[in-house]
Amino acid sequence: MSTVRVGTAQPRQRRPRASVWRVFAMPALLLVASIAGLVLGLTGDGLPDALSWALLSIPIILAAIAFARRG
Amino acid sequence: MKRSTIKAWFVVHKWSSLVSTLFLLMLCVTGLPLIFHDEIDTLIGEDHDSVLEGTPSAEGGQPLDRMVANALAEQPGEVPLFMAFSQDSPLLTVTTGPTPDADSADMTLLFLDRSTGQLIGPAPTGGLMDFILQLHTDMFLGLPGMLFLGLMGALFVAALVSGVVLYAPFMRRLPFGTLRTTRSPRVKTLDQHNLIGIVALGWMLVVGLTGVINALADPLTESWQNGELAEMTAQYAGERPVDPDNYGSLDAAMASAQSALPGRSPQFIAFPGGDWSTGHHYAVFFQGDRPLTRHLLTPALIDARSAQLTDAGAMPALNQALMMSKPLHFGDYGGLPLKLIWAALTLATIWVLWSGLLLWLRRSPAKIERRIDEIATGAARGMPV
């Protein structure tokens, strides 16, 4: 990608660009956890349900952590 | 990713969202109470399933013929259309209507107790939950409304996919979970939109896609009736439908059905002449025998006069997908904790929709190129390297 102007902000050191794989590592994990949780819940009562609740809570908990740490 | 590619995805994201957002907000707001409809029914004393005690109506109790007779005594001159069983309690429902092919608006749903054979009463109609469900399903517009909301669901899926594509270049310089709060209000909203969107992605995709499939329920049932079902009952083609006066014993029909599909629990019986059977058959729909297949129904078609089995067999793949889509859309298959998770993720979806709308409302004109730049170079402060 060639250079592109971004407003008039001060020149600063930027974070290096992460690869697409790195950017999507966490989202992919969350996607798999969510879908596994949704399907597991269908496979029975008891343990599968508990696993389903745990897996589906991961995205909610991670979002809550991000909000708690924002700044 | 090329700048022009990013711009194309940006336009897809913007328009698929803008067109559908208000309808999706309505679906979220109406969906929220629907998640808890069982609990709400219990609160207002309409959940007979949790009150009645005894053998589940799917397993046994008073003869089915007697249950039909008791229901028809309440609705003189009408004909039976459906009978549905409970897996948990003696509750049994019978739907009646003026004719075998009656419109759903003319049907009456009756609650009965199969352990005693007594009528409990007609299902309450016209309540707030009915209103909410109707709004959520078809906005009181019937099939066109359903298909329209299905289309909005498809746009939602398109918005999710394009949102994920834009997430990649935008987040290349930001660690996962970044919420910048010290910059402009727009950046603050944008970061929240991206974080909650990516975190709830899996759930939103599943609920969106299953919503689209549910919106196609009527056409899918019709295609089964005209295709698979017509083939299974080909020898009856051209015969006059059986007159309700000539319906044979339902108990005998159930016995034939259960010997064709042994070990399975019946969920409902469709009487001749409606959308779920032929003009000549009792269609007995059985649940699968394992937890995962519990939602997959298999019909046994029983000649309504002779009570002999005509055929039994699984429904086509698309109809099976429809049956699996229901629990995955409603979130009613994993107890109260799953419903609470469903509600939390619905609230998250509302926030994604609302923040997206805010981002669009607060946009400054003629700055689309700068927004594309922001995505293309990766969000951060300062000049690009």
Side-chain angles (χ1 to χ4, degrees), chain B residues 129-149:
Chain B
M129 290 305 279
D130 261 11
F131 176 84
I132 292 172
L133 178 63
Q134 207 61 41
L135 197 58
H136 189 91
T137 316
D138 64 5
M139 303 187 295
F140 300 91
L141 297 172
L143 183 61
M146 244 169 127
L147 295 176
F148 177 81
L149 288 178

Side-chain angles (χ1 to χ4, degrees), chain B residues 21-33 35 156 160 189 192-193 196-197 200 203-204 342-358:
Chain B
T21 286
L22 287 180
F23 295 99
L24 294 171
L25 277 170
M26 178 279 283
L27 289 172
C28 285
V29 170
T30 52
L32 216 41
I35 300 170
F156 178 50
L160 290 172
T189 310
Q192 291 182 5
H193 180 79
I196 300 183
W203 182 85
M204 292 194 293
W342 229 258
L345 290 167
T346 305
L347 290 171
T349 308
I350 291 177
W351 186 242
V352 174
L353 295 169
W354 180 245
S355 56
L357 195 59
L358 284 183

Side-chain angles (χ1 to χ4, degrees), chain B residues 43-379:
Chain B
L43 269 182
I44 55 179
E46 287 173 6
D47 184 15
H48 302 291
D49 227 5
S50 64
V51 180
L52 295 177
E53 278 179 34
T55 310
S57 61
E59 286 169 28
Q62 298 290 318
L64 299 179
D65 289 321
R66 186 155 157 206
M67 303 307 295
V68 174
N70 287 355
L72 291 180
E74 179 71 13
Q75 300 289 122
E78 295 209 328
V79 297
L81 303 174
F82 295 100
M83 171 180 279
F85 302 93
S86 166
Q87 314 298 322
D88 306 313
S89 81
L91 178 70
L92 179 140
T93 67
V94 175
T95 307
T96 66
T99 54
D101 60 352
D103 208 58
S104 60
D106 301 324
M107 296 179 185
T108 305
L109 179 68
L110 298 166
F111 290 143
L112 296 104
D113 179 345
R114 196 180 173 189
S115 65
T116 62
Q118 295 299 307
L119 182 86
I120 300 168
T125 52
L128 181 62
M129 290 305 279
D130 261 11
F131 176 84
I132 292 172
L133 178 63
Q134 207 61 41
L135 197 58
H136 189 91
T137 316
D138 64 5
M139 303 187 295
F140 300 91
L141 297 172
L143 183 61
M146 244 169 127
L147 295 176
F148 177 81
L149 288 178
L151 182 66
M152 295 302 109
L155 286 175
F156 178 50
V157 174
L160 290 172
V161 171
S162 53
V164 172
V165 173
L166 294 174
Y167 182 89
F170 184 84
M171 293 300 289
R172 289 186 87 168
R173 293 181 202 277
L174 294 175
F176 176 85
T178 301
L179 290 171
R180 293 165 294 172
T181 54
T182 55
R183 304 183 70 196
S184 67
R186 198 185 71 83
V187 166
K188 195 173 153 184
T189 310
L190 182 57
D191 282 355
Q192 291 182 5
H193 180 79
N194 291 341
L195 173 69
I196 300 183
I198 204 76
V199 151
L201 175 70
W203 182 85
M204 292 194 293
L205 270 178
V206 169
V207 173
L209 284 169
T210 52
V212 173
I213 299 175
N214 280 321
L216 299 173
D218 288 356
L220 283 175
T221 306
E222 203 182 318
S223 97
W224 166 74
Q225 194 182 31
N226 295 336
E228 197 93 352
L229 180 63
E231 271 171 41
M232 287 164 89
T233 58
Q235 71 256 43
Y236 293 83
E239 279 183 39
R240 283 173 51 84
V242 179
D243 190 271
D245 293 337
N246 298 330
Y247 289 174
S249 163
L250 196 56
D251 291 287
M254 178 59 93
S256 302
Q258 280 180 316
S259 59
L261 296 169
R264 299 200 196 197
S265 187
Q267 191 173 87
F268 73 93
I269 301 172
F271 286 72
D275 290 341
W276 289 84
S277 189
T278 71
H280 318 91
H281 291 88
Y282 292 129
V284 187
F285 285 81
F286 289 95
Q287 299 187 342
D289 46 5
R290 282 174 302 144
L292 191 58
T293 57
R294 201 175 56 199
H295 301 280
L296 292 177
L297 303 179
T298 306
L301 299 158
I302 312 296
D303 185 302
R305 257 185 292 223
S306 69
Q308 295 297 308
L309 175 81
T310 301
D311 201 356
M315 291 178 82
L318 270 176
N319 298 82
Q320 305 223 16
L322 170 64
M323 293 186 264
M324 288 313 282
S325 286
K326 287 181 190 293
L328 285 170
H329 190 75
F330 305 153
D332 58 356
Y333 58 92
L336 190 59
L338 190 70
K339 292 182 179 189
L340 293 170
I341 289 169
W342 229 258
L345 290 167
T346 305
L347 290 171
T349 308
I350 291 177
W351 186 242
V352 174
L353 295 169
W354 180 245
S355 56
L357 195 59
L358 284 183
L359 287 167
W360 177 73
L361 287 171
R362 290 182 190 158
R363 77 202 181 283
S364 21
K367 280 192 182 161
I368 179 168
E369 296 306 323
R370 270 180 63 182
R371 287 198 293 278
I372 304 290
D373 287 341
E374 186 183 20
I375 299 169
T377 58

Side-chain angles (χ1 to χ4, degrees), chain A:
Chain A
M1 172 90 43
S2 58
T3 49
V4 183
R5 282 187 301 283
V6 180
T8 54
Q10 303 275 314
R12 269 183 222 205
Q13 193 62 46
R14 302 194 65 171
R15 275 174 67 90
R17 285 168 176 236
S19 70
V20 173
W21 302 113
R22 240 190 119 97
V23 170
F24 277 129
M26 201 58 159
L29 223 64
L30 291 175
L31 183 72
V32 171
S34 306
I35 292 177
L38 288 168
V39 174
L40 258 175
L42 284 171
T43 62
D45 296 334
L47 185 64
D49 272 346
L51 280 172
S52 150
W53 304 332
L55 285 168
L56 282 167
S57 299
I58 297 173
I60 300 172
I61 292 166
L62 277 185
I65 292 173
F67 269 84
R69 282 190 182 163
R70 79 190 137 166

